[in-house]
Amino acid sequence: MKELTLELNNLLKKTKGDPKIIKAIESEKALFPFSVENRLLAYFLAIGEITYDKYSQLNTEYCERNKYLDLFDMAPRTYGQTWGEQHIRLLFPEFIKATKENVSAEYPAFDGEFDLWLDGIRIEVKACRANSTKAGGSLASRAYLHSEAKAVGFKYHYQQLKPSCCDVFIWIGTCRDELIYWVLTSEELQKTGKLGSQHRNENTGVAGIKVFEGQVFMTEEELLPFLVEEKDILKSVREKGTN
Protein backbone atom coordinates (compact mmCIF):
# COMPACT_ATOMS: atom_id res chain seq x y z
CA MET A 1 0.00 0.00 0.00
CA LYS A 2 2.84 2.42 0.71
CA GLU A 3 3.92 2.37 -2.95
CA LEU A 4 0.40 3.32 -4.06
CA THR A 5 0.19 5.92 -1.28
CA LEU A 6 3.40 7.48 -2.59
CA GLU A 7 1.92 7.70 -6.10
CA LEU A 8 -1.24 9.32 -4.75
CA ASN A 9 0.75 11.81 -2.67
CA ASN A 10 2.69 12.85 -5.78
CA LEU A 11 -0.58 13.33 -7.66
CA LEU A 12 -2.06 15.34 -4.78
CA LYS A 13 0.94 17.68 -4.78
CA LYS A 14 0.48 18.46 -8.49
CA THR A 15 -3.30 18.34 -8.81
CA LYS A 16 -5.42 21.19 -10.13
CA GLY A 17 -8.52 19.46 -8.85
CA ASP A 18 -11.08 20.99 -6.51
CA PRO A 19 -9.66 20.96 -2.94
CA LYS A 20 -13.18 20.62 -1.49
CA ILE A 21 -13.85 17.45 -3.47
CA ILE A 22 -10.48 16.00 -2.52
CA LYS A 23 -11.06 16.80 1.15
CA ALA A 24 -14.50 15.20 0.99
CA ILE A 25 -13.06 12.05 -0.57
CA GLU A 26 -10.39 11.83 2.14
CA SER A 27 -12.78 12.46 5.04
CA GLU A 28 -15.97 10.63 4.07
CA LYS A 29 -16.59 7.08 5.21
CA ALA A 30 -15.14 4.54 2.78
CA LEU A 31 -16.37 0.98 2.34
CA PHE A 32 -14.95 -1.74 0.11
CA PRO A 33 -14.59 -1.56 -2.86
CA PHE A 34 -14.90 2.24 -2.76
CA SER A 35 -11.74 2.90 -0.76
CA VAL A 36 -10.28 6.39 -0.40
CA GLU A 37 -7.46 5.42 -2.76
CA ASN A 38 -9.80 4.09 -5.43
CA ARG A 39 -12.05 7.15 -5.24
CA LEU A 40 -9.09 9.53 -5.52
CA LEU A 41 -7.86 7.67 -8.59
CA ALA A 42 -11.36 7.79 -10.07
CA TYR A 43 -11.43 11.56 -9.51
CA PHE A 44 -8.01 12.07 -11.09
CA LEU A 45 -9.17 9.95 -14.02
CA ALA A 46 -12.36 12.00 -14.36
CA ILE A 47 -10.55 15.35 -14.47
CA GLY A 48 -7.90 14.05 -16.89
CA GLU A 49 -4.89 14.11 -14.56
CA ILE A 50 -4.20 10.43 -15.23
CA THR A 51 -5.04 8.33 -18.26
CA TYR A 52 -6.83 5.00 -18.14
CA ASP A 53 -3.55 3.37 -19.15
CA LYS A 54 -1.88 4.91 -16.09
CA TYR A 55 -4.77 3.76 -13.90
CA SER A 56 -4.43 0.23 -15.30
CA GLN A 57 -0.67 0.31 -14.74
CA LEU A 58 -1.11 1.28 -11.09
CA ASN A 59 -3.69 -1.48 -10.67
CA THR A 60 -1.44 -4.11 -12.28
CA GLU A 61 1.57 -3.12 -10.18
CA TYR A 62 -0.50 -3.14 -7.00
CA CYS A 63 -1.87 -6.62 -7.77
CA GLU A 64 1.64 -7.95 -8.44
CA ARG A 65 2.89 -6.57 -5.13
CA ASN A 66 -0.05 -8.04 -3.23
CA LYS A 67 -1.02 -11.25 -5.03
CA TYR A 68 -0.66 -13.31 -1.84
CA LEU A 69 -2.00 -10.70 0.57
CA ASP A 70 -5.20 -12.69 1.12
CA LEU A 71 -3.14 -15.39 2.84
CA PHE A 72 -2.37 -12.91 5.62
CA ASP A 73 -6.08 -12.61 6.37
CA MET A 74 -6.49 -16.36 6.96
CA ALA A 75 -6.93 -17.68 10.47
CA PRO A 76 -3.65 -19.21 11.72
CA ARG A 77 -4.98 -22.77 11.76
CA THR A 78 -6.50 -22.47 8.27
CA TYR A 79 -3.29 -21.03 6.88
CA GLY A 80 -0.84 -23.26 8.71
CA GLN A 81 -2.62 -26.60 8.66
CA THR A 82 -4.86 -26.45 5.60
CA TRP A 83 -3.71 -23.98 2.95
CA GLY A 84 -0.08 -25.09 2.71
CA GLU A 85 -0.88 -28.75 2.23
CA GLN A 86 -3.62 -28.02 -0.30
CA HIS A 87 -1.35 -25.62 -2.19
CA ILE A 88 1.36 -28.27 -2.62
CA ARG A 89 -1.18 -30.88 -3.74
CA LEU A 90 -2.63 -28.48 -6.30
CA LEU A 91 0.85 -27.90 -7.70
CA PHE A 92 1.67 -31.62 -7.75
CA PRO A 93 -1.26 -34.06 -7.63
CA GLU A 94 1.30 -36.87 -7.26
CA PHE A 95 1.41 -36.07 -3.53
CA ILE A 96 -1.23 -38.10 -1.70
CA LYS A 97 -3.01 -36.69 1.34
CA ALA A 98 -1.99 -38.88 4.25
CA THR A 99 -5.07 -40.48 5.80
CA LYS A 100 -5.64 -43.97 7.19
CA GLU A 101 -7.72 -44.78 4.13
CA ASN A 102 -5.03 -43.59 1.70
CA VAL A 103 -1.83 -44.94 3.24
CA SER A 104 -2.69 -47.73 5.70
CA ALA A 105 -2.09 -50.45 3.09
CA GLU A 106 1.51 -49.31 2.63
CA TYR A 107 2.03 -47.76 6.07
CA PRO A 108 -0.15 -49.60 8.61
CA ALA A 109 1.26 -47.64 11.56
CA PHE A 110 -0.05 -44.29 10.28
CA ASP A 111 -1.61 -42.21 13.05
CA GLY A 112 -1.82 -38.73 11.53
CA GLU A 113 1.84 -37.90 12.19
CA PHE A 114 2.64 -36.58 8.68
CA ASP A 115 0.74 -34.70 5.96
CA LEU A 116 1.57 -36.16 2.55
CA TRP A 117 2.74 -39.46 1.10
CA LEU A 118 4.77 -40.04 -2.05
CA ASP A 119 5.91 -43.55 -2.98
CA GLY A 120 6.92 -44.44 0.57
CA ILE A 121 8.18 -40.95 1.48
CA ARG A 122 6.57 -39.35 4.54
CA ILE A 123 6.22 -35.57 4.10
CA GLU A 124 5.28 -32.78 6.48
CA VAL A 125 4.27 -29.35 5.11
CA LYS A 126 4.71 -26.14 7.09
CA ALA A 127 4.06 -22.51 6.15
CA CYS A 128 5.05 -19.18 7.67
CA ARG A 129 3.99 -15.61 6.81
CA ALA A 130 6.63 -12.87 6.69
CA ASN A 131 5.47 -9.73 8.46
CA SER A 132 6.76 -6.91 10.61
CA THR A 133 6.70 -7.68 14.32
CA LYS A 134 7.46 -4.09 15.31
CA ALA A 135 4.43 -2.31 13.85
CA GLY A 136 0.86 -2.57 15.09
CA GLY A 137 -2.26 -3.30 13.12
CA SER A 138 -3.56 -6.34 11.28
CA LEU A 139 -1.28 -9.05 9.95
CA ALA A 140 -2.14 -8.03 6.39
CA SER A 141 -1.15 -4.42 7.07
CA ARG A 142 2.25 -5.62 8.31
CA ALA A 143 2.93 -8.09 5.49
CA TYR A 144 6.37 -7.90 3.92
CA LEU A 145 7.35 -7.85 0.29
CA HIS A 146 10.01 -10.50 -0.31
CA SER A 147 12.65 -7.80 -0.71
CA GLU A 148 11.62 -6.28 2.63
CA ALA A 149 11.75 -9.63 4.42
CA LYS A 150 15.29 -10.23 3.13
CA ALA A 151 16.41 -6.70 3.96
CA VAL A 152 15.43 -7.00 7.63
CA GLY A 153 16.67 -10.58 7.99
CA PHE A 154 13.20 -11.88 8.81
CA LYS A 155 13.29 -15.19 10.69
CA TYR A 156 10.78 -17.72 9.44
CA HIS A 157 9.19 -19.62 12.30
CA TYR A 158 8.25 -23.26 11.80
CA GLN A 159 6.84 -25.13 14.76
CA GLN A 160 5.43 -28.49 15.80
CA LEU A 161 8.21 -30.12 13.79
CA LYS A 162 8.46 -33.88 14.32
CA PRO A 163 11.61 -35.10 12.55
CA SER A 164 11.18 -38.62 13.89
CA CYS A 165 7.77 -38.87 12.19
CA CYS A 166 8.58 -37.84 8.63
CA ASP A 167 11.32 -38.14 6.05
CA VAL A 168 11.10 -34.79 4.26
CA PHE A 169 9.82 -31.32 5.12
CA ILE A 170 8.40 -28.84 2.63
CA TRP A 171 8.51 -25.34 4.10
CA ILE A 172 6.71 -22.41 2.48
CA GLY A 173 7.59 -18.78 3.13
CA THR A 174 4.76 -16.37 2.30
CA CYS A 175 5.41 -12.75 1.37
CA ARG A 176 2.72 -10.56 -0.10
CA ASP A 177 4.32 -10.70 -3.54
CA GLU A 178 6.05 -14.07 -3.59
CA LEU A 179 6.11 -17.63 -2.23
CA ILE A 180 9.45 -19.19 -1.30
CA TYR A 181 10.03 -22.92 -0.91
CA TRP A 182 12.56 -24.99 1.01
CA VAL A 183 12.86 -28.78 0.98
CA LEU A 184 14.94 -30.57 3.61
CA THR A 185 15.16 -34.00 5.17
CA SER A 186 14.60 -34.69 8.86
CA GLU A 187 18.32 -35.40 9.15
CA GLU A 188 19.21 -32.07 7.51
CA LEU A 189 16.86 -30.27 9.89
CA GLN A 190 18.60 -31.70 12.94
CA LYS A 191 22.03 -30.96 11.50
CA THR A 192 21.16 -27.24 11.27
CA GLY A 193 21.39 -27.05 15.06
CA LYS A 194 18.38 -24.71 14.97
CA LEU A 195 15.76 -27.13 16.27
CA GLY A 196 14.64 -25.88 19.67
CA SER A 197 12.04 -27.14 22.11
CA GLN A 198 8.39 -26.11 22.02
CA HIS A 199 7.31 -24.05 25.02
CA ARG A 200 4.56 -26.44 26.05
CA ASN A 201 6.81 -29.42 26.73
CA GLU A 202 10.28 -29.08 28.15
CA ASN A 203 11.26 -32.44 26.63
CA THR A 204 10.33 -31.62 23.05
CA GLY A 205 13.21 -31.21 20.67
CA VAL A 206 15.49 -33.37 22.81
CA ALA A 207 17.41 -36.06 20.97
CA GLY A 208 16.70 -39.59 22.12
CA ILE A 209 13.02 -39.12 22.83
CA LYS A 210 10.93 -41.46 20.67
CA VAL A 211 8.65 -38.74 19.31
CA PHE A 212 9.56 -35.14 19.92
CA GLU A 213 8.39 -31.79 18.58
CA GLY A 214 10.53 -28.75 18.02
CA GLN A 215 10.57 -25.36 16.36
CA VAL A 216 13.03 -23.27 14.38
CA PHE A 217 13.57 -19.58 13.66
CA MET A 218 15.69 -19.25 10.52
CA THR A 219 16.59 -16.47 8.09
CA GLU A 220 16.65 -16.93 4.33
CA GLU A 221 20.43 -16.95 4.46
CA GLU A 222 20.33 -19.89 6.88
CA LEU A 223 17.72 -21.65 4.75
CA LEU A 224 19.58 -21.08 1.47
CA PRO A 225 20.97 -24.66 1.20
CA PHE A 226 17.40 -25.97 1.04
CA LEU A 227 15.94 -23.43 -1.40
CA VAL A 228 14.09 -24.88 -4.40
CA GLU A 229 12.16 -23.40 -7.30
CA GLU A 230 8.44 -24.13 -7.26
CA LYS A 231 8.70 -26.31 -10.35
CA ASP A 232 11.37 -28.47 -8.68
CA ILE A 233 9.56 -29.30 -5.41
CA LEU A 234 8.41 -32.77 -6.48
CA LYS A 235 11.80 -33.64 -7.95
CA SER A 236 13.60 -32.48 -4.80
CA VAL A 237 11.29 -34.46 -2.49
CA ARG A 238 11.84 -37.60 -4.56
CA GLU A 239 15.62 -37.17 -4.54
CA LYS A 240 15.91 -36.38 -0.85
CA GLY A 241 13.35 -38.91 0.25
CA THR A 242 14.99 -41.86 -1.52
CA ASN A 243 18.64 -41.16 -0.68
Side-chain angles (χ1 to χ4, degrees):
M1 181 62 77
K2 59 187 175 185
E3 293 86 356
L4 182 57
T5 300
L6 183 61
E7 288 275 1
L8 285 171
N9 286 339
N10 288 334
L11 286 167
L12 286 167
K13 289 176 183 176
K14 300 183 295 183
T15 185
K16 295 179 181 178
D18 189 330
K20 291 182 180 179
I21 294 177
I22 293 172
K23 185 176 180 180
I25 292 172
E26 293 177 325
S27 60
E28 291 173 359
K29 184 177 181 179
L31 293 174
F32 178 84
F34 298 102
S35 65
V36 170
E37 293 80 13
N38 198 33
R39 287 160 63 196
L40 281 172
L41 288 172
Y43 179 63
F44 292 138
L45 190 61
I47 63 176
E49 291 198 344
I50 61 171
T51 63
Y52 184 74
D53 284 345
K54 177 63 174 178
Y55 177 86
S56 296
Q57 177 192 340
L58 291 172
N59 176 72
T60 299
E61 291 173 351
Y62 180 84
C63 290
E64 278 298 306
R65 289 194 302 268
N66 295 282
K67 56 186 171 182
Y68 299 112
L69 190 60
D70 61 315
L71 298 180
F72 289 82
D73 286 324
M74 283 185 179
R77 185 175 294 274
T78 303
Y79 167 74
Q81 295 186 5
T82 304
W83 171 80
E85 178 189 321
Q86 291 177 344
H87 173 69
I88 295 298
R89 290 180 61 225
L90 282 171
L91 290 173
F92 302 99
E94 293 91 338
F95 288 111
I96 297 171
K97 181 175 176 60
T99 65
K100 283 186 178 292
E101 181 181 5
N102 290 342
V103 306
S104 59
E106 297 176 274
Y107 193 81
F110 179 72
D111 192 29
E113 64 270 32
F114 53 90
D115 301 319
L116 302 177
W117 176 261
L118 178 70
D119 300 330
I121 304 168
R122 302 170 301 168
I123 303 141
E124 192 168 290
V125 180
K126 297 292 182 183
C128 176
R129 296 174 284 203
N131 61 279
S132 172
T133 57
K134 296 179 181 179
S138 68
L139 195 66
S141 70
R142 297 183 281 115
Y144 278 139
L145 293 168
H146 189 198
S147 60
E148 294 172 332
K150 288 196 293 186
V152 301
F154 179 78
K155 289 191 174 185
Y156 292 87
H157 181 203
Y158 297 101
Q159 54 187 325
Q160 297 179 336
L161 303 171
K162 302 180 291 294
S164 61
C165 295
C166 73
D167 305 303
V168 177
F169 290 95
I170 300 173
W171 290 351
I172 308 171
T174 300
C175 298
R176 58 188 173 98
D177 62 333
E178 191 172 345
L179 298 177
I180 311 100
Y181 304 93
W182 300 281
V183 174
L184 63 162
T185 66
S186 292
E187 184 179 358
E188 286 175 325
L189 167 60
Q190 295 186 78
K191 284 183 177 179
T192 65
K194 298 292 184 178
L195 185 63
S197 62
Q198 295 279 158
H199 61 82
R200 65 172 181 242
N201 184 339
E202 64 182 9
N203 291 321
T204 57
V206 178
I209 292 184
K210 186 176 180 181
V211 175
F212 61 91
E213 283 188 341
Q215 63 182 334
V216 298
F217 293 87
M218 296 179 72
T219 65
E220 287 197 43
E221 184 176 353
E222 292 168 328
L223 288 165
L224 188 60
F226 316 116
L227 180 67
V228 297
E229 295 293 326
E230 184 177 89
K231 64 181 178 61
D232 295 327
I233 292 172
L234 180 66
K235 176 184 175 183
S236 182
V237 170
R238 284 191 189 279
E239 290 176 348
K240 293 200 170 195
T242 55
N243 285 341

